[in-house]
Every structure is written in C-alpha cells, then in structure tokens.
Amino acid sequence: METLRSFSGGRWAAGTGSPQILLNPATEAPLAQASSEGIDLAAALEFSRRTGGPALRALTFAERGALLKAIADAIQAERDALLELGIANGGNTRSDAKFDIDGAIATLLAYSEIGIGVLGSKKILVDGEGIQLGRSARFHGQHISVPRQGVAVHVNAFNFPAWGFAEKAAVALLAGMPVLSKPATSSAMVAHRVMQLIVEQKLVPEGALSLLVGSPRDLLTHLGAQDVLAFTGSGDTGMKIRALPNVIRHSVRVNVEADSLNAAVLGADAAPRSDMYELFLKDVVRDMTQKAGQKCTAIRRVLVSSQIMNEVKGDLFELLAQIRVGNPADEETRMGPLATKSQLEDAHKGIALLNGKLAYGNLDRQPKGFFLSPILLESPGEAVHEHEVFGPVASLLPYESNAGEVVARGNGGLVCSLYSEDQSFLEETIAAVAPFHGRIFIGHPKIELSPGPGTVLPQLVHGGPGRAGGGEELGGPRGLAFYLQRTALQGPRPAIQKLLG
Ligand code: NAP
C-alpha cells in the first residue's frame, strides 16, 4: 500500500503514528495510508514564509503566471494517470474525474494568462486612478496592493482534489504568496500525485508550495497577522476555524466556502417539452448525479410552478431511471458511490431530516461500497431550507408566484439558476435572490455547450453569503485581493509616480 508523504520545509516526510487508510469507495479496498503525526507544522509554515515568500515576491506577475502554465502543462501530461486515481480514490466516473482534472488545468491556465497577458512585468498592483488630495496637484493619493508576507494556508474538501488544490494555489501564487495546501485526507491521492509532479520537475521556487497530507493537527493555531486561510468544507468546521483564538487575536484573514442549498427555478413560461423545460431537466439530473451529487454547487431545491409539478416529477423520474449506479471502473456506470462511509451515513441522516416523500430512488444499502441511488423528494419539511445533504439528493418544491422568496429561505447560497425567458419574472426573481447568492445562472437553450449552474468558472466569483460561508474566490483578477494588502499612498505626486514607475 502506498504511503502518502507531506512535502513541507522543502522535503518529503512521512508521518509517524497510526495512519488514516484511504479506500476505493466502490470496493472498500485499501489504496494508501497517510499521517501527519510528527511533522513540525510551525516550522513548515515558517519555511514557507521565509523561503517561498521572498522568492515569489522577487518575480513579476508574468513570471508567476509562467509558473502556473508549467504546472498546468505537467498535469495535462499526466492527465490519464490522474483520471485513474480520481476513479479509484474518489469514486468518480471518468467524466467526473475529467471535470476535476480539466477544471484544475483550465483554472491554472486562466490565471497564468492574467499574469502573463494582463498584469505583465509589474510586481505591485496599482488600484484605480491617482487622486488629487489638496488644492494643488502636488498632494496626491494612490491605492496600491502588495503581496502579504505570510503564508497562504489552503484547506480543501474531499470532492475536488485537483481543482480545489489548483483554484486556490493559482490565485495565491500569482499574487505572490507561498502556499501550504491541505487536501481532505480521504481523497488525497490526486493532490499528492500533482505535488509529486511539481516537485520532481522543480516547477516552483523552493518554499513556494507545500502539501500537508493527513490531519491538520495544530496547523491553524500557528497562523499570524500576515497569513491567510482559505477553507472549503462543512459549515461546522468553518465555524471552528473562525473561532480559533489566534485567528481572532491576529485578525488572520479567513475565507470560508461552506454549505449551500442551491436552487433551480423553472419559470412558468417554460412549458413542458419546450427547449427551456428540457434544459432545466437536464441540468437538474446532471447536478444530482455528477460526482454523485457531491458538488458544492449542485442543485438541492427544485422549484416548479405547482400547475406542472406532476409533469416535471414524471419526467425527472424517467431520466433518473436511466442513471446506472455502480463501480466507476465499469464504463457503463453513470454515477459512482459517495466518497466515504461517513459521507454515506451523513447522507442517510440528512435524507431522514428532510422528511420528504420519496418521489424517486431507494435507500437500500449495498453489501460493499458507499453507494446511494439518486433520491428525489417531494413535500419535504422546513429542513429543506436549512440542511444540505451532500449527495445525489434533491427536493421538489412547488411555488405560486413567490419563487424568489422561497429560494431566499436557504439563507445564503453559491448559485441559483433560473430557467425562463420572461423578462419581468427574471428581473423580479433576480432582485429577490441576488443578495443571497454569489452567482446567478440564467439558463437558455441557445447557449451552446452550457456547463450548467454547477460549473465554477475562473472568470466569475465563487462563494456566497450566510450559510455558504460568506466567502468569495476566483472572479479573474478580483481573486488576488484576498492575498494582497491594499495600502493608500499619500504624499507628493512626483515621488509617488516615480515609485510606481
Ligand atoms: P469537513 O469535514 O469540514 O472537511 C473539510 C476539510 O477540512 C478537510 O481537509 C478536513 O481534513 C479539514 N478539517 C476538518 N476538521 C478540521 C479542523 N478542525 N481544522 C482544520 N481543518 C479541518 O468537510 P467535508 O464534510 O469533508 O466536506 C463536505 C462539505 O464541504 C459539504 O458540506 C460541502 O457543502 C462543503 N463544500 C463546499 C464547497 C464550496 O466551495 N463552498 C466546495 C466543496 C465542498 P480531513 O479530511 O483530514 O479531516
């Protein structure tokens, strides 16, 4: 069995103590083991700050962009092997695994392009226009943004081991901050292999990128005022992290991407069998079943006008019945298992909590593997607006004329999708749901190759208020702000202009 090692302090180190065993979630066969015991985490962070930080800050944005391109190329060259790892360790179908690996490559390339093509040979970001502050033009103000001098710690969820690693690392490295990335232990094999490629090929300066495999232990208690922490995972863990005394005392900058009760709303103008209606059904089924519904952006609440609810239910039933659940190593499989036994237990508990009537699916357990059939519920209880079931589970909710109000009861989400061409319905619903969401997806059948609401694009922000963690990532150059300190320069204009070239 492979032992996954951490790469910290510029070297590989295996943990001591009793390791966590990583399984194939379809067969429960052990694949690898990992432990972080015995690794000096305070020293690892200090190495990143002292070695990786200065090395990155010495580079221009274009040079940092070139590092990202090299990482993307290395992943691309190893793509087939990484897909196999995602299938074995993540329970991903080949298409699920592509979503993760190709998403990682695309995000790295998008930020590489921002570095090389947009920000270029600068090391400091000039923020907005200069401002005349006094009667004469001599007294001048200018906002600038510079890289923080700490380390960016990234704690990732199990569902996107490659994309999660890459989307955070791309932005931090481009901004000029060294990264210590901690993948979720259960699915860490993909991130571990990506790190091996980066180290073997010496793609980044020493100390610029580290990987901690296994428990985070006391890692976060060593964070200080110049460090930042970007976390993706459950709301409960997010809450614990925010409450750490050193995080509060040193005002450590924290970004949390947590739970989300994403809603899809079918407008009353989208008649059954219309192209819009078919697109809606397709997106709902894709989100329920892609990665076995373990996507933070997956549709959980399906809002349909009460007049056509029965029709929608019947059509979804038919489409879901075509989804073959099984071992993703089998090419016929359309949906694999959940990632771990505890995810499966949580999903069963969550379904019970939603307290709905089973419109599709069954709750049978398989003798081996963490399988769950797609589950469509109707008439759920109020918990449907409060509890996220992280699996292939969605609930049907009828609405009359108050779709926006119903959606907003989720109290903060990553994405809400609307399927309508009725402009006044769109305006009214967007006004009602926009304050509660980081992104609104407007479905249209004429948008070719639409990735649906579940795909996070590097050009647009990812995150959401309230339940979703209150965070924001990506969004093109906007994403850099988290890793930079904005400083206002005020003084004589010639001196400031000379300073900024
Ligand atoms: P989790 O238990 O919170 O774990 C997430 C990460 O946090 C893992 O790397 C985990 O490490 C680490 N962790 C756990 N306890 C920690 C602690 N006390 N201090 C520091 N790190 C800690 O979440 P999960 O249940 O695996 O993930 C599923 C959840 O993530 C879902 O609720 C989903 O909505 C959310 N999610 C959100 C997004 C988003 O972008 N908004 C994306 C994906 C998933 P170990 O694996 O070693 O325990």
Side-chain angles (χ1 to χ4, degrees):
M1 186 167 37
E2 187 184 359
T3 297
L4 304 186
R5 293 178 301 163
S6 294
F7 187 78
S8 65
R11 61 188 185 88
W12 289 103
T16 54
S18 70
Q20 186 174 327
I21 307 297
L22 284 67
L23 303 178
N24 177 324
T27 63
E28 299 184 39
L31 299 174
Q33 56 181 5
S35 164
S36 63
E37 284 303 316
I39 295 173
D40 185 340
L41 300 177
L45 292 169
E46 195 51 20
F47 183 81
S48 301
R49 291 184 196 110
R50 289 268 164 95
T51 313
L56 283 169
R57 292 196 295 275
L59 302 178
T60 64
F61 284 107
E63 287 166 331
R64 292 179 213 143
L67 302 181
L68 303 183
K69 167 91 170 61
I71 298 174
D73 290 347
I75 297 176
Q76 180 69 51
E78 188 78 0
R79 182 173 177 267
D80 286 343
L82 289 168
L83 293 179
E84 290 305 324
L85 274 184
I87 292 167
N89 183 210
N92 293 179
T93 61
R94 180 161 290 273
S95 151
D96 291 342
K98 283 183 192 165
F99 191 50
D100 183 35
I101 305 294
D102 293 346
I105 295 170
T107 306
L108 284 159
L109 290 177
Y111 276 91
S112 161
E113 186 44 39
I114 291 171
I116 296 169
V118 180
L119 304 177
S121 60
K122 287 182 275 180
K123 290 183 186 169
I124 291 179
L125 271 191
V126 175
D127 177 348
E129 298 291 314
I131 309 152
Q132 182 173 327
L133 298 173
R135 281 211 189 142
S136 85
R138 180 162 287 273
F139 191 26
H140 187 72
Q142 176 69 60
H143 291 98
I144 60 167
S145 292
V146 295
R148 294 188 143 219
Q149 295 204 350
V151 54
V153 171
H154 294 163
V155 179
N156 281 311
F158 66 85
N159 54 346
F160 285 101
W163 178 81
F165 168 88
E167 60 101 15
K168 285 184 168 58
V171 187
L173 293 174
L174 183 61
M177 277 195 86
V179 170
L180 188 150
S181 183
K182 194 211 106 49
T185 309
S186 62
S187 64
M189 292 180 80
V190 171
H192 181 261
R193 182 65 195 130
V194 169
M195 191 68 204
Q196 281 180 328
L197 298 173
I198 294 169
V199 174
E200 281 161 14
Q201 298 174 34
K202 296 190 170 53
L203 299 181
V204 295
E206 193 174 35
L209 197 49
S210 306
L211 186 82
L212 176 69
V213 186
S215 159
R217 295 183 22 242
D218 61 350
L219 175 73
L220 305 182
T221 65
H222 300 295
L223 296 183
Q226 283 287 309
D227 301 323
V228 304
L229 167 62
F231 166 80
T232 295
S234 64
D236 287 347
T237 311
M239 207 157 59
K240 283 187 207 151
I241 283 174
R242 277 212 177 93
L244 287 171
N246 62 305
V247 167
I248 296 170
R249 189 177 319 116
H250 299 302
S251 312
V252 177
R253 199 178 269 183
V254 178
N255 192 76
V256 172
E257 300 287 344
D259 312 344
S260 182
L261 296 163
N262 312 296
V265 185
L266 181 65
D269 58 308
R273 309 291 141 252
S274 65
D275 290 347
M276 185 70 89
Y277 178 90
E278 299 296 337
L279 175 72
F280 168 80
L281 296 180
K282 191 171 132 213
D283 282 355
V284 170
V285 171
R286 174 173 40 201
D287 265 16
M288 285 181 69
T289 57
Q290 190 174 45
K291 289 195 138 272
Q294 300 164 109
K295 248 174 21 186
C296 51
T297 49
I299 296 166
R300 309 289 177 201
R301 299 177 297 160
V302 183
L303 274 76
V304 176
S305 146
S306 38
Q307 279 98 337
I308 57 163
M309 181 57 95
N310 276 337
E311 207 138 1
V312 170
K313 191 167 71 173
D315 289 335
L316 284 175
F317 193 105
E318 248 177 54
L319 290 171
L320 290 170
Q322 293 167 22
I323 303 292
R324 188 169 152 173
V325 180
N327 186 336
D330 174 356
E331 280 190 10
E332 302 291 300
T333 293
R334 292 272 309 278
M335 189 179 101
L338 299 194
T340 62
K341 188 171 186 209
S342 74
Q343 288 300 323
L344 179 63
E345 297 303 334
D346 279 358
H348 277 283
K349 278 187 213 148
I351 292 164
L353 200 68
L354 295 190
N355 196 22
K357 194 170 139 216
L358 210 53
Y360 180 87
N362 67 73
L363 297 169
D364 299 346
R365 305 219 181 200
Q366 301 301 314
K368 268 268 176 266
F370 313 130
F371 294 99
L372 176 63
S373 95
I375 301 284
L376 186 65
L377 299 173
E378 57 182 322
S379 314
E382 190 56 26
V384 74
H385 303 296
E386 291 157 8
H387 186 78
E388 177 196 46
V389 182
F390 208 58
V393 182
S395 300
L396 288 168
L397 299 173
Y399 72 87
E400 301 302 331
S401 58
N402 58 343
E405 249 172 62
V406 178
V407 172
R409 277 156 67 190
N411 198 22
L414 297 172
V415 57
C416 170
S417 44
L418 308 177
Y419 297 80
S420 170
E421 286 187 87
D422 176 341
Q423 198 62 27
S424 62
F425 171 78
L426 287 176
E427 276 171 27
E428 193 183 303
T429 314
I430 288 171
V433 304
F436 296 89
H437 292 85
R439 182 161 60 91
I440 295 173
F441 174 92
I442 304 168
H444 197 283
K446 292 226 165 66
I447 297 178
E448 281 165 34
L449 299 176
S450 161
T455 299
V456 174
L457 299 171
Q459 299 89 337
L460 301 181
V461 292
H462 172 59
R467 185 185 313 286
E472 186 178 286
E473 290 183 334
L474 301 173
R478 285 177 190 82
L480 299 180
F482 182 65
Y483 300 98
L484 301 172
Q485 178 60 43
R486 185 167 23 228
T487 306
L489 293 178
Q490 61 183 140
R493 183 173 162 183
I496 290 175
Q497 287 187 334
K498 207 163 165 193
L499 205 71
L500 301 177

